[in-house]
Amino acid sequence: MKNTLKVLVTGVTLALTSQLSLAAVDAQTAARLNTTLTPLGAEKSGNAAGTIPEWKGGYATVAAGYKSGEVRPDPFASDQPLFTITAANLAQYSDQLNDGVKALFAKNPDFRMNIYPTHRTAAAPEWVYNNTLKNATSAELAADETSVSGAYGGTPFPIPKTGAEVMWNHRLGWSGESVEFAMKTYIVTADGHRSLASEGDELMQFPYYYKEGDAANYSGVNQLGRFIVTGPASKAGEAILVHDPSIAGKKRAIWQYLVGQRRVRKAPSVAYDTPDFVTSGVGLFDEAFMMFGPIDRHHYKLQGKKELFIPYNNNRAAQVSIDELMGEHFLNPENVRWELHRVWVVDAELKDGMRHTVPKRTYYIDEDSWKIVLFDGWDAKGDLWRMNYSLTYLVPELPALVTNVMWGGYDLQTGAYYLNAAMNGGTPHYRVREPVSEGTWSPVELANQGAR
């Protein structure tokens, strides 16, 4: 199943110093979203080998009697693995594996990947598709790649020309209007000891996707997030609040409530390569949710698209107990589903004059959902250091395939790893809800919630 990288981007690259924004595509190009491309911009057809099927609308079937927030059924529970990749046959599938997975095999020869039939389940409501078509001819990327204008309520760049456009498609990807879930974060040390790092209640809201909103009234804050810590006891009551913007001139705002100080303070350090206290420092803040916070320290180069084995349709992973999901050195292969999908490949390279402990990353973005599903990271010496993964989770009632739950990372040098936003055993699971009032997202309300 040899597959070479298909370079899809040609022509003149816009210089970073340019004062002009990058223009959207023309109407004739955008019309492909109704023909050869899906409404969000993926290739509608399958691959020549037949191992990737045609996209036929995604998956939006809600099980009878199911209520959002309950443990979601696995719609593909009856599927059996097509084959298993092991250290013994790794070379046969090397072209469809990212560097991080190969390194995981090298460090853990007993690691394996069960490969299941590919189901192209990613979908969105019709109004998101309609907005995506509008965005295709109106959205513009700022010259410094750090903001977007002329987009609302859909994928901003469904027919991307640059790596930064692909990354903004992830940042502005469809995950619902407002959701909440109970989550836990576990870390596993190099010697195989697992411990609970954090647990609490997450509330997320996406003003960019308010169904009744429009571009003219969009505040410019694309994501609101609030995490109230309930455990372990030493952290209970802590809280964090974030306002993440997508338009130029709108500054990111983030606050933290500390129980010991009994006050809310701004927390600008919750960004970039600062160790993430939610993961007890095993992860970095800009690795959270696969990408979190400012993106101005790296330049994003689009390498093209390729076929890759990625975690996909992993509702089963959220059903089992944490003991069944997390092994001593890696996630239990029996409870992680891998499928072959086409992904965009984007290299992030540190800009001149900038500092970051991970100067280079390679991101793999699912073509159907525009979500980052894997990324590899290299240290300053050029050695492979980190791999993050998302156990992509299917939410049929939205419909959507989301990556803001059930994600984590491996330290490929020390052997430690973690799982963040795990819903196993918690209530609620990813609950779709109506947007909450603006007052919920104030620092004052953060203090009220954290002090309870």
Side-chain angles (χ1 to χ4, degrees):
M1 295 184 4
K2 187 174 182 179
N3 178 6
T4 56
L5 187 66
K6 301 189 298 180
V7 178
L8 305 181
V9 181
T10 58
V12 178
T13 301
L14 184 68
L16 290 175
T17 55
S18 170
Q19 299 303 305
L20 300 176
S21 59
L22 191 63
V25 302
D26 58 35
Q28 183 177 359
T29 302
R32 294 175 56 201
L33 297 173
N34 292 317
T35 55
T36 59
L37 301 178
T38 73
L40 295 183
E43 295 175 50
K44 186 176 291 185
S45 63
N47 64 357
T51 49
I52 297 176
E54 177 185 1
W55 184 83
K56 295 183 178 181
Y59 190 91
T61 303
V62 180
Y66 174 78
K67 294 181 180 179
S68 192
E70 297 175 347
V71 177
R72 280 176 185 79
D74 176 5
F76 310 115
S78 63
D79 281 1
Q80 296 298 312
L82 299 172
F83 56 91
T84 299
I85 300 176
T86 67
N89 64 2
L90 180 64
Q92 181 181 347
Y93 301 102
S94 180
D95 287 343
Q96 288 81 41
L97 299 173
N98 63 303
D99 289 340
V101 161
K102 295 176 188 176
L104 201 56
F105 271 106
K107 199 169 190 68
N108 303 282
D110 55 339
F111 179 68
R112 62 190 185 280
M113 300 165 61
N114 289 333
I115 309 301
Y116 288 83
T118 297
H119 296 287
R120 297 180 67 180
T121 51
E126 192 68 26
W127 61 270
V128 172
Y129 295 154
N130 294 337
N131 285 337
T132 297
L133 182 59
K134 295 176 184 177
N135 292 342
T137 57
S138 64
E140 294 186 342
L141 176 70
D144 64 3
E145 302 182 336
T146 64
S147 62
V148 175
S149 61
Y152 182 80
T155 301
F157 305 106
I159 307 175
K161 300 182 291 296
T162 71
E165 288 184 342
V166 172
M167 303 311 286
W168 273 105
N169 286 348
H170 165 81
R171 293 178 73 88
L172 298 177
W174 166 248
S175 298
E177 290 182 85
S178 185
V179 299
E180 61 185 346
F181 49 90
M183 56 158 278
K184 294 182 180 180
T185 302
Y186 296 92
I187 59 173
V188 180
T189 59
D191 62 2
H193 176 72
R194 186 181 75 234
S195 61
L196 175 68
S198 300
E199 67 176 306
D201 300 313
E202 183 80 35
L203 176 65
M204 306 183 80
Q205 196 150 296
F206 308 97
Y208 178 84
Y209 276 105
Y210 288 167
K211 184 177 180 180
E212 303 304 323
D214 54 49
N217 296 303
Y218 172 46
S219 68
V221 175
N222 65 283
Q223 177 175 291
L224 300 163
R226 188 186 72 188
F227 179 50
I228 307 296
V229 180
T230 58
S234 60
K235 295 183 178 181
E238 293 182 4
I240 192 165
L241 173 69
V242 62
H243 295 190
D244 265 328
S246 63
I247 64 173
K250 193 79 173 181
K251 292 185 178 180
R252 183 177 193 248
I254 191 162
W255 299 267
Q256 186 179 12
Y257 176 78
L258 298 176
V259 178
Q261 298 180 9
R262 298 187 64 81
R263 69 181 180 92
V264 174
R265 65 174 188 177
K266 288 190 174 182
S269 63
V270 179
Y272 302 116
D273 53 358
T274 302
D276 183 353
F277 51 73
V278 177
T279 64
S280 297
V282 180
L284 308 177
F285 272 118
D286 67 358
E287 295 175 337
F289 306 104
M290 304 305 284
M291 172 175 271
F292 182 64
I295 60 171
D296 57 344
R297 293 190 181 179
H298 292 80
H299 174 62
Y300 299 90
K301 183 178 181 181
L302 186 58
Q303 296 293 349
K305 195 184 287 188
K306 70 179 298 182
E307 295 177 4
L308 200 74
F309 291 114
I310 58 177
Y312 218 87
N313 295 316
N314 269 289
N315 288 34
R316 173 175 169 78
Q319 294 176 345
V320 300
S321 70
I322 210 67
D323 288 339
E324 294 174 293
L325 181 58
M326 300 191 74
E328 290 187 354
H329 303 293
F330 45 80
L331 297 176
N332 182 354
E334 294 307 307
N335 290 315
V336 177
R337 181 187 180 103
W338 298 78
E339 298 179 3
L340 183 68
H341 287 261
R342 285 184 294 246
V343 297
W344 292 94
V345 182
V346 177
D347 284 341
E349 299 177 353
L350 194 64
K351 293 178 180 179
D352 292 341
M354 294 291 186
R355 298 181 64 182
H356 198 287
T357 57
V358 189
K360 178 184 176 182
R361 290 187 177 117
T362 296
Y363 291 91
Y364 303 94
I365 301 94
D366 171 39
E367 70 163 345
D368 287 330
S369 65
W370 292 109
K371 303 297 175 61
I372 299 169
V373 288
L374 292 169
F375 70 73
D376 301 325
W378 286 261
D379 63 19
K381 296 184 295 183
D383 295 330
L384 186 60
W385 179 18
R386 317 175 74 79
M387 182 187 79
N388 266 46
Y389 61 88
S390 173
L391 301 180
T392 48
Y393 186 72
L394 185 59
V395 186
E397 67 267 32
L398 280 173
L401 191 76
V402 302
T403 57
N404 50 359
V405 289
M406 306 297 292
W407 54 269
Y410 288 93
D411 185 322
L412 299 168
Q413 295 180 5
T414 68
Y417 83 100
Y418 68 95
L419 174 65
N420 206 337
M423 299 182 293
N424 309 69
T427 302
H429 275 224
Y430 203 85
R431 176 185 287 158
V432 178
R433 58 166 300 151
E434 291 295 318
V436 299
S437 66
E438 290 185 5
T440 304
W441 306 105
S442 71
V444 172
E445 180 62 16
L446 183 71
N448 292 338
Q449 292 294 321
R452 290 182 179 178

